[in-house]
Amino acid sequence: MDSLLIHGGNPLAGDVRISGAKNAALPILTASLLTAEPLKLGNVPHLKDISTMLALLGHMGVRVTLDDRNQVTLSGESIPHKEAPYEMVKTMRAAILVLGPTLARFGEARVSLPGGCAIGSRPVDLHIKGLQAMGADIAIEHGYIHARCKRLKGARIMMDVVTVTGTENLMMAAALAEGTTVLENAAREPEVVDLARCLIAMGAKIEGAGSDVITVHGVDRLHGADYSVMADRIETGTFLVAAAMTGGRVRTTHTQPDTLDAVIAKLREAGARVSVGDDWIEIESDGKLQAVDVRTAPHPAFPTDMQAQFMALNTVAEGAASVTETIFENRFMHVQELRRLGANIEVSGHTALVRGVPRLDGATVMATDLRASACLVLAGLVAAGETTIERIYHLDRGYERIEEKLTQLGARIKRVH
């Protein structure tokens, strides 16, 4: 199993090209199930979760072709297997996203219930309730969601908690439903907007994406499209924090600054200088940062996927700060690993109190989930001596060639097998 070896202490400097967003690409890939025509997608990142989703779609019958320019073409003309088996769903919870489009187009879908997840329960009951409100007959049997319908009917659906994948699943299902569907308390994340834009390019009629009320006027069929996946705002934020912590100057390119307002505001509050262009963000820091309080909440507030990175920042900042997680339980699993590097962190319920220390010391630590692994990389970049991060397959699920990109910026980091 691969590990990362990091020698800390080098300031990062230079330009880094941001990859396509995993959390936008995954639902957009499943949109290929909504049409018999080819869907051509650009800026799709090479990541473990993307490979898993492509394997699932291939298993269902979608023809998948890849070229060397990060272009993926998906042809869903014939889908003989309208099922997502447990073996594929258990490694990637986003597989639930095949449920809505498969049911809407074919009148039947069978999707394994997701297994456990390291960062909390992430229930799928809102997906099921929403599809039932649209007329689906759904049974849970032998660990599978088995959904049937003649044709889904438009409905007004009020989601009692904000759910990103729930919003995406129901938006895709509604695109081919008869009549109008209104999703209330919809997720406002940029990735939801990106999916809506792709669906509109395919002929869907969608209004309000990016607000908490999305209206979908169902159509009889969707057609193929050419679409480019949005830039990864979490990868962007991770590189910005890395530059701030190491006292460097880094420009992230091919990114979307308007998706990162809350993160940029916190970096400025910490004392970093941040400038923004149309598709780039530049950060400069002397490494002397002030601790910043962070509270995660649905977009446009501070993203849960940046919580661990800012905890790493606070470990070496001046002063003390609280980090409060409101989205997922079990999302402080990186705390005990940061403590192994010398961090001073106390956890009480959903809040961690972080007191900055003069320096971290390299040690062997273990990644527990995707964003926790990124926070350990950041800590390793500023720790004295050598840090070894084990179980970095978590990192490969969400960061494309992270060690290559960091090396180009001046980090001393290598993968060992």
Side-chain angles (χ1 to χ4, degrees), residues 334-343 360-366:
H334 42 283
V335 168
Q336 60 202 26
E337 304 301 315
L338 287 170
R339 283 182 183 143
R340 285 180 53 76
L341 301 174
L360 299 176
D361 288 312
T364 298
V365 290
M366 185 175 70

Side-chain angles (χ1 to χ4, degrees), residues 261-281:
D261 291 344
V263 170
I264 290 170
K266 283 293 170 189
L267 287 166
R268 286 174 172 152
E269 191 184 323
R273 291 179 295 285
V274 184
S275 50
V276 172
D278 286 346
D279 64 351
W280 56 267
I281 305 170

Side-chain angles (χ1 to χ4, degrees), residues 146-201:
H146 195 171
R148 297 182 190 84
C149 68
K150 284 198 171 67
R151 184 179 178 188
L152 293 174
K153 301 277 198 293
R156 179 175 287 273
I157 299 166
M158 170 71 187
M159 288 172 277
D160 49 9
V161 294
V162 176
T163 161
V164 174
T165 52
T167 300
E168 291 165 341
N169 229 340
L170 297 175
M171 188 164 65
M172 286 191 281
L176 286 180
E178 183 183 325
T180 297
T181 299
V182 180
L183 303 176
E184 298 188 356
N185 198 27
R188 297 165 60 185
E189 268 66 7
E191 294 79 10
V192 173
V193 178
D194 208 38
L195 171 63
R197 284 186 184 136
C198 179
L199 293 172
I200 290 165

Side-chain angles (χ1 to χ4, degrees), residues 63-145:
R63 278 204 328 279
V64 179
T65 51
L66 301 149
D67 70 17
D68 54 5
R69 301 190 322 278
N70 278 22
Q71 291 265 353
V72 181
T73 302
L74 303 134
S75 302
E77 194 175 352
S78 148
I79 307 292
H81 305 293
K82 300 165 185 65
E83 175 178 312
Y86 175 70
E87 287 68 36
M88 290 178 157
V89 176
K90 71 178 179 183
T91 59
M92 180 193 58
R93 303 185 58 97
I96 189 73
L97 287 163
V98 304
L99 177 62
T102 307
L103 177 65
R105 183 168 157 218
F106 299 103
E108 182 170 17
R110 195 163 175 268
V111 178
S112 170
L113 283 165
C117 180
I119 55 171
S121 59
R122 302 197 193 190
V124 296
D125 58 333
L126 292 170
H127 303 236
I128 293 168
K129 284 178 186 167
L131 293 170
Q132 285 173 328
M134 296 168 76
D137 176 27
I138 297 183
I140 309 290
E141 50 198 21
H142 308 295
Y144 278 78
I145 303 164

Side-chain angles (χ1 to χ4, degrees), residues 131-413:
L131 293 170
Q132 285 173 328
M134 296 168 76
D137 176 27
I138 297 183
I140 309 290
E141 50 198 21
H142 308 295
Y144 278 78
I145 303 164
H146 195 171
R148 297 182 190 84
C149 68
K150 284 198 171 67
R151 184 179 178 188
L152 293 174
K153 301 277 198 293
R156 179 175 287 273
I157 299 166
M158 170 71 187
M159 288 172 277
D160 49 9
V161 294
V162 176
T163 161
V164 174
T165 52
T167 300
E168 291 165 341
N169 229 340
L170 297 175
M171 188 164 65
M172 286 191 281
L176 286 180
E178 183 183 325
T180 297
T181 299
V182 180
L183 303 176
E184 298 188 356
N185 198 27
R188 297 165 60 185
E189 268 66 7
E191 294 79 10
V192 173
V193 178
D194 208 38
L195 171 63
R197 284 186 184 136
C198 179
L199 293 172
I200 290 165
M202 295 167 70
K205 295 181 177 172
I206 300 171
E207 301 151 13
S211 77
D212 58 358
V213 179
I214 298 175
T215 304
V216 185
H217 305 285
V219 296
D220 289 337
R221 60 181 289 278
L222 294 177
H223 51 70
D226 279 20
Y227 192 78
S228 187
V229 174
M230 69 176 282
D232 195 319
R233 62 194 173 106
I234 305 303
E235 185 195 17
T236 306
T238 303
F239 278 104
L240 294 174
V241 172
M245 289 175 66
T246 60
R249 180 176 186 160
V250 167
R251 177 180 285 216
T252 57
T253 67
H254 299 81
T255 190
Q256 289 168 241
D258 61 349
T259 62
L260 279 156
D261 291 344
V263 170
I264 290 170
K266 283 293 170 189
L267 287 166
R268 286 174 172 152
E269 191 184 323
R273 291 179 295 285
V274 184
S275 50
V276 172
D278 286 346
D279 64 351
W280 56 267
I281 305 170
E282 186 168 289
I283 186 164
E284 192 175 359
S285 159
D286 58 7
K288 298 182 175 69
L289 301 173
Q290 299 300 311
V292 286
D293 293 331
V294 165
R295 180 183 179 85
T296 68
H299 194 79
F302 189 89
T304 179
D305 281 350
M306 284 299 301
Q307 176 257 104
Q309 295 89 316
F310 270 78
M311 189 178 293
L313 181 152
N314 281 332
T315 63
V316 291
E318 185 74 33
S322 62
V323 176
T324 304
E325 176 58 61
T326 73
I327 308 289
F328 294 124
E329 65 266 38
N330 303 343
R331 214 171 197 188
F332 283 150
M333 289 158 68
H334 42 283
V335 168
Q336 60 202 26
E337 304 301 315
L338 287 170
R339 283 182 183 143
R340 285 180 53 76
L341 301 174
N344 182 344
I345 308 172
E346 293 170 29
V347 175
S348 176
H350 294 293
T351 300
L353 181 66
V354 188
R355 294 183 176 88
V357 295
R359 71 167 212 186
L360 299 176
D361 288 312
T364 298
V365 290
M366 185 175 70
T368 51
D369 64 61
L370 169 54
R371 305 307 169 186
S373 60
C375 110
L376 296 175
V377 171
L378 299 179
L381 291 173
V382 296
E386 187 175 279
T387 299
T388 302
I389 304 172
E390 297 181 340
R391 290 173 59 176
I392 59 154
Y393 59 84
H394 288 295
L395 202 60
D396 298 332
R397 289 183 47 218
Y399 290 92
E400 187 175 44
R401 307 190 328 273
I402 189 168
E403 70 273 22
E404 277 180 48
K405 292 184 180 185
L406 285 169
T407 299
Q408 287 167 6
L409 295 173
R412 293 167 66 200
I413 178 171

